[in-house]
Amino acid sequence: MASPPSIDAPTHAQEEDIDSLIPPSPPPPIPPSLPTYKTAFLNACLSARVLTFGSYTLKSGRQSPYFFNAGLFHRADLLRAISTAFASTLIAHCDAHPAFAFDVVFGPSYKGVPLATATVDKLAEMDGGRFGEVSYSFNRKEVKDHGEGGMIVGAPLGGKRVVVVDDVITAGTAMREAIEIIRAQGGRLVGVVVAVDRMERVREEGGKSAIGEVEAECEVPVLSIVNLNDLIEVLEAAGDEREMERVKEYKLRYGAEE
């Protein structure tokens, strides 16, 4: 599967060239219209400054009015917040689509490893009857040729229905690699969940977002905890007209086809 030209995501601060930054205002209030799990997740992101609003120059050259740094979810309470949000997103989708089911939550190395393991634990805590026997799995970057060997740690994927969790899909390259690993191991991809959907097209000349491309290619649902529209709601609830308009303008300029 050919990979599209890469654009850089706003989720890895260590990988971004931030040329200019306007310090954001204090965390805005969360609109009551959002589901509880989204509210809790966004509150955690804002209070820990995982999500900030300002002016950011990305490697792609795009001027982003907001920044999401999932690398900051290393603290125990923040890991709990994001795993609860991932689990809640999956449970909500299962409730809305009773035929949707999965056996394994797969986390692509390395960032996806703690996300997958923590999400499995949270699923069992929230609904042990349905999800108490769901397993986690992740890949090694290098195949191990001693001990148990192989490239998979955790549950074997052969014959299993697999959901991938990760922080974001940018150009889709890493996600496609994860999907190829799952298929090569005999697993069946049934869904993907990411933390944030930027709703942003991959190519400058237009087209789908990376999420939209993966969804179309793999014919599985690609879910997100929050998306760009949710961030606009946050700014609207805060009465922050300036930042809200900047985010809306960004969406108008770089937004993907629906």
Side-chain angles (χ1 to χ4, degrees):
M1 221 180 310
S3 298
S6 176
I7 66 170
D8 296 286
T11 53
H12 313 291
Q14 68 274 22
E15 296 175 1
E16 299 295 351
D17 177 18
I18 302 175
D19 295 331
S20 59
L21 167 62
I22 299 172
S25 303
I30 305 300
S33 58
L34 293 179
T36 303
Y37 72 89
K38 288 192 178 190
T39 299
F41 176 69
L42 285 169
N43 274 326
C45 290
L46 291 164
S47 63
R49 298 180 65 79
V50 173
L51 171 64
T52 55
F53 297 96
S55 182
Y56 306 85
T57 303
L58 308 179
K59 283 183 182 178
S60 61
R62 294 180 180 178
Q63 301 290 318
S64 177
Y66 68 97
F67 189 76
F68 181 81
N69 182 8
L72 296 180
F73 280 105
H74 52 75
R75 211 170 66 197
D77 58 336
L78 297 177
L79 181 61
R80 186 184 304 117
I82 195 171
S83 63
T84 299
F86 271 125
S88 298
T89 302
L90 282 166
I91 290 172
H93 190 73
C94 288
D95 290 343
H97 302 84
F100 180 78
F102 55 96
D103 308 300
V104 177
V105 176
F106 182 86
S109 292
Y110 293 104
K111 300 185 312 302
V113 174
L115 300 179
T117 53
T119 297
V120 165
D121 177 68
K122 189 56 65 174
L123 282 166
E125 178 185 317
M126 294 174 69
D127 192 339
R130 281 194 292 176
F131 304 109
E133 295 185 1
V134 170
S135 299
Y136 73 82
S137 185
F138 59 88
N139 61 297
R140 292 187 173 96
K141 287 290 189 181
E142 297 180 1
V143 177
K144 188 177 180 182
D145 58 4
H146 59 279
E148 74 276 20
M151 71 179 305
I152 298 297
V153 178
L157 300 179
K160 300 295 178 62
R161 298 164 297 182
V162 183
V163 166
V164 178
V165 296
D166 209 352
D167 59 347
V168 73
I169 299 177
T170 55
T173 305
M175 184 58 65
R176 289 178 176 89
E177 290 174 356
I179 292 167
E180 288 303 316
I181 290 170
I182 291 166
R183 289 173 173 168
Q185 294 292 318
R188 178 165 66 92
L189 180 75
V190 297
V192 175
V193 191
V194 296
V196 176
D197 177 6
R198 287 178 65 88
M199 304 174 71
E200 184 174 333
R201 65 180 180 268
V202 176
R203 298 171 180 83
E204 290 296 327
E205 63 272 16
K208 293 180 178 292
S209 67
I211 282 180
E213 290 188 348
V214 170
E215 197 166 38
E217 289 169 10
C218 300
E219 298 182 328
V220 299
V222 181
L223 315 173
S224 64
I225 300 171
V226 295
N227 61 31
L228 188 58
N229 289 335
D230 296 324
L231 304 190
I232 291 171
E233 275 199 59
V234 168
L235 293 170
E236 186 174 16
D240 193 336
E241 293 289 336
R242 177 178 177 273
E243 293 296 349
M244 183 178 70
E245 288 305 317
R246 292 180 70 242
V247 174
K248 284 183 175 180
E249 287 170 8
Y250 188 82
K251 182 184 177 184
L252 184 64
R253 183 174 182 182
Y254 297 115
E257 294 175 358
E258 298 292 335

